[in-house]
């Protein structure tokens, strides 16, 4: 799969204090983007380029934060017409079991597992209208020391930063997103249960201009009901009257099978009293609540309590909140592209400082892979030239002459079929993994085609 042309523009704004380093980053993006799943020597194709890539990762002026900053700058053109941006954060583990000599890693998993790696906490943007990922906004590579019971942000090649609480990573990402976004673009922070914290809610509501949130509650905390009574959040929301029903497609994950769930929706408003960790004298916070219960499933049914600043006065508004929370899965898809598609955990660099640089490059490449997939799935009129090179289109058209003159979506389905997609009437649109495998096969055929035409 060759996405090199599309990622080059994401790196052109990098400021390392030396224009030659920016040019080198653009070239590295071109080389690694041409073969994201391959090793660095294979992607770079020759020894000189391979050594130049390793020197770039070693350079003291280069880090992931500056690479992501360039990508953020490029994102501004994609969000400039938006009124709102969904800002989604999540944490995934990057484990390096094959590299026991790698320096700068932390503890992963339990003490019995004895694995090393980092916990990558990322923040991404999602267009609430198209549901496409606009790009990566922030990344924190977290190093945990189980014995000292500490967590640090590795902070690239600079001094690590100690995180005071386990919730701090969430608000750090949110602050950076709000600071970066234009003031007329309203961020709605979409978080899972790990972000359920009074201090986070208070900062977004009271200190951030023009911002909101949708967070799934983790704790059955004490609340104050509209009637002025004290109650527990889960107990109170479970007694709210049903407002309506809807269905939701649940993705496969781990041992969970994909399914279509029928959901009961209830609405409400309550106050969250301040916690012990909050500043003394902090006022209660008024939040809206969307209670979601799966109907007819006895084993591990969906039961979500979503806390939000957004209006939920009607069923339609509540369904919008549910839709926003469901888009949180986009970041999990991006994690898969980063790990499986770009094989970030298999990169053989000896220190995390070097890996940090490579992570920044592959994070952008993984975003582009997903963006191209979503473009083909969501826009029937997409031009095939956006997805495929001249040689790749020529090979596909030789195999399937009926493709000539068709949209990018038709070409994308043909590519996915090369990767195992069956394209039956009952099948959902192709996933990124089928697209990835198909594009890898197509790229090999295209290389043969180009050699034959020289």
């Amino acid at each position: 799969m060759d996405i090199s042309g599309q990622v080059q523009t994401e790196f052109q704004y990098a400021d390392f204090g030396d224009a030659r380093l920016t040019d080198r980053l653009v070239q590295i993006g071109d080389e690694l983007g041409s073969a994201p799943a391959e090793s660095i020597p294979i992607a770079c194709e020759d020894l000189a380029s391979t050594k130049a890539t390793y020197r770039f990762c070693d350079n003291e002026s280069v880090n992931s934060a500056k690479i992501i900053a360039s990508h953020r700058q490029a994102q501004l053109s994609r969000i400039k017409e938006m009124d709102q941006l969904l800002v989604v954060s999540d944490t995934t583990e990057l484990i390096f079991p094959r590299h026991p000599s790698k320096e700068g890693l932390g503890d992963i998993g339990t003490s019995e597992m004895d694995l090393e790696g980092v916990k990558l906490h990322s923040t991404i943007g999602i267009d609430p209208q198209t549901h496409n990922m606009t790009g990566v906004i922030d990344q924190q590579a977290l190093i945990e020391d189980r014995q000292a019971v500490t967590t640090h942000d590795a902070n690239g090649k600079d001094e690590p930063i100690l995180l005071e609480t386990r919730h701090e990573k969430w608000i750090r990402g949110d602050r950076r997103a709000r600071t970066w976004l234009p003031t007329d673009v309203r961020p709605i922070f979409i978080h899972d249960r790990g972000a359920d914290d009074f201090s986070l809610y208070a900062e977004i509501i009271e200190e951030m201009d023009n911002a909101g949130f949708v967070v799934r509650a983790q704790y059955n905390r004490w609340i104050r009901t509209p009637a002025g009574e004290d109650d527990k959040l889960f107990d109170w929301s479970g007694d709210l009257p049903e407002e309506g029903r809807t269905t939701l497609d649940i993705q496969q994950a781990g041992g969970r099978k994909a399914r279509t769930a029928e959901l009961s929706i209830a609405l409400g408003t309550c106050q969250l009293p301040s916690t012990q960790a909050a500043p003394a004298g902090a006022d209660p916070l008024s939040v809206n609540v969307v209670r979601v219960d799966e109907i007819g499933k006895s084993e591990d049914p969906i039961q979500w309590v979503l806390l939000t600043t957004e209006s939920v006065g009607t069923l339609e508004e509540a369904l919008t909140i549910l839709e926003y929370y469901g888009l949180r899965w986009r970041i999990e898809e991006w994690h898969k592209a980063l790990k499986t598609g770009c094989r970030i955990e298999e990169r053989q660099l000896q220190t995390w400082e070097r890996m940090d640089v490579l992570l920044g490059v592959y994070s952008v490449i993984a975003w582009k892979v997903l963006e191209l997939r979503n473009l083909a799935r969501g826009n029937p009129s997409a031009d095939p030239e956006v997805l495929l090179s001249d040689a790749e289109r020529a090979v596909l058209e030789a195999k399937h002459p009926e493709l000539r003159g068709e949209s990018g979506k038709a070409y994308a389905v043909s590519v996915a079929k090369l990767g195992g997609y069956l394209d039956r009437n009952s099948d959902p649109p192709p996933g990124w993994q089928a697209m990835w495998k198909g594009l890898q096969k197509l790229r090999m055929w295209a290389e043969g085609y180009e050699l034959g035409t020289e």
Side-chain angles (χ1 to χ4, degrees):
M1 176 181 187
D2 188 347
I3 59 168
S4 55
Q6 287 83 12
V7 299
Q8 288 181 31
T9 56
E10 303 298 311
F11 298 134
Q12 63 183 340
Y13 302 106
D15 184 6
F16 303 117
D18 186 336
R20 293 172 298 180
L21 290 175
T22 303
D23 292 341
R24 172 58 61 184
L25 173 61
V26 170
Q27 182 175 343
I28 289 171
D30 177 66
E31 292 168 343
L32 301 188
S34 68
E38 300 293 350
S39 67
I40 292 176
I42 291 177
C44 292
E45 296 186 341
D46 61 60
L47 183 60
S49 294
T50 300
K51 287 184 175 181
T53 299
Y54 290 142
R55 286 196 302 270
F56 179 82
C57 294
D58 268 333
N59 193 294
E60 287 297 319
S61 299
V62 175
N63 59 40
S64 179
K66 294 177 181 178
I67 295 171
I68 296 299
S70 174
H71 175 50
R72 276 199 306 269
Q73 181 69 21
Q75 278 186 76
L76 289 175
S77 64
R78 295 189 284 274
I79 67 170
K80 62 183 180 181
E81 302 298 330
M82 296 183 190
D83 297 323
Q84 294 182 333
L85 181 70
L86 305 184
V87 178
V88 180
S89 297
D90 199 16
T91 306
T92 190
E93 294 178 347
L94 300 183
I95 303 172
F96 302 95
R98 301 183 185 178
H99 310 301
S101 63
K102 194 181 294 296
E103 300 173 5
L105 300 179
D107 297 319
I108 295 290
T110 65
S111 57
E112 290 78 14
M113 296 170 67
D114 193 28
L115 297 174
E116 287 189 321
V118 302
K119 291 190 175 182
L120 181 67
H121 186 80
S122 301
T123 302
I124 68 171
I126 296 178
D127 185 335
Q129 301 300 319
T130 66
H131 299 176
N132 288 339
M133 179 176 166
T134 62
V136 183
I137 298 173
D138 184 60
Q139 283 188 327
Q140 303 170 59
L142 305 179
I143 308 296
E144 292 191 353
D145 186 327
R146 190 181 299 113
Q147 188 172 7
V149 197
T150 58
T151 300
H152 288 80
D153 181 341
N155 199 29
K157 295 182 172 70
D158 296 326
E159 285 296 314
I161 300 171
L162 177 67
L163 270 61
E164 299 293 341
T165 70
R166 62 189 180 90
H167 294 109
E168 188 175 349
K169 62 185 179 182
W170 300 93
I171 195 61
R172 292 176 85 218
D174 292 352
R175 287 171 186 155
R176 292 169 179 174
R178 175 64 280 183
T179 300
W180 163 70
L181 278 170
T183 56
D184 57 347
V185 178
R186 183 172 186 263
I188 302 178
F189 301 106
I190 313 295
H191 297 325
D192 206 8
R193 291 174 293 178
D196 184 11
D197 179 62
F198 181 89
S199 297
L200 179 140
Y201 303 145
E203 180 161 340
I204 294 174
I205 291 173
E206 298 175 349
E207 298 183 28
M208 289 191 186
D209 293 330
N210 196 25
F213 62 77
V214 177
V215 178
R216 181 182 170 191
Q218 180 177 18
Y219 305 111
N220 191 21
R221 53 164 44 90
W222 285 104
I223 63 164
R224 180 64 58 86
T225 72
E229 299 173 347
D230 293 333
D231 206 337
K232 287 296 192 75
L233 175 61
F234 295 168
D235 304 336
W236 166 78
S237 61
D239 291 333
L240 292 171
E242 181 181 280
E243 188 73 20
R245 296 188 178 187
T246 189
T247 58
L248 182 68
D249 292 330
I250 306 299
Q251 295 185 346
Q252 179 183 2
R256 182 186 69 199
K257 295 181 179 179
R259 68 181 189 277
T260 299
E262 184 179 9
L263 306 176
S264 171
I265 309 295
L267 318 176
T269 299
C270 68
Q271 285 194 329
L272 307 181
S274 64
T275 61
Q276 291 182 348
D283 294 329
L285 301 174
S286 179
V287 297
N288 295 320
V289 178
V290 178
R291 170 83 183 214
V292 182
D293 289 282
E294 186 170 2
I295 299 169
K297 190 172 188 299
S298 58
E299 184 179 347
D300 193 25
I302 287 176
Q303 188 179 85
W304 297 338
V305 178
L306 305 179
L307 306 179
T308 182
T309 51
E310 308 309 288
S311 174
V312 295
T314 66
L315 177 61
E316 183 179 1
E317 290 178 334
L319 293 179
T320 297
I321 298 304
L322 180 59
E323 176 185 292
Y324 287 173
Y325 179 73
L327 289 172
R328 196 191 65 81
W329 289 322
R330 285 285 187 270
I331 197 169
E332 296 181 6
E333 292 180 317
W334 175 73
H335 287 157
K336 289 179 183 178
L338 183 62
K339 291 181 176 184
T340 305
C342 297
R343 298 182 180 177
I344 190 64
E345 293 169 306
E346 298 182 23
R347 303 300 167 180
Q348 300 187 31
L349 300 183
Q350 290 186 339
T351 68
W352 174 251
E353 291 181 353
R354 297 174 183 173
M355 280 295 302
D356 170 73
V357 174
L358 211 56
L359 173 64
V361 176
Y362 278 113
S363 292
V364 178
I365 291 173
W367 157 75
K368 196 62 187 183
V369 169
L370 290 182
E371 198 227 12
L372 291 175
R373 182 209 67 172
N374 291 335
L375 178 65
R377 291 175 71 174
N379 184 2
S381 63
D383 194 321
E385 293 181 4
V386 175
L387 298 168
L388 304 171
S389 67
D390 291 343
E392 289 166 342
R393 294 198 309 279
V395 169
L396 268 186
E397 290 166 359
K399 186 174 178 62
H400 303 288
E402 69 276 9
L403 281 176
R404 293 188 178 91
E406 292 293 325
S407 69
K409 185 173 184 178
Y411 280 78
V413 170
S414 295
V415 171
K417 289 166 73 172
L418 296 178
Y421 179 62
L422 298 178
D423 194 25
R424 298 166 298 192
N425 290 335
S426 60
D427 287 336
W432 73 266
Q433 288 175 309
M435 292 272 302
W436 185 278
K437 292 176 183 178
L439 281 162
Q440 288 291 90
K441 184 181 293 187
L442 179 60
R443 182 171 179 266
M444 288 190 292
W445 292 351
E447 287 178 348
Y449 172 85
E450 289 174 327
L451 288 173
T453 57
E454 288 180 354

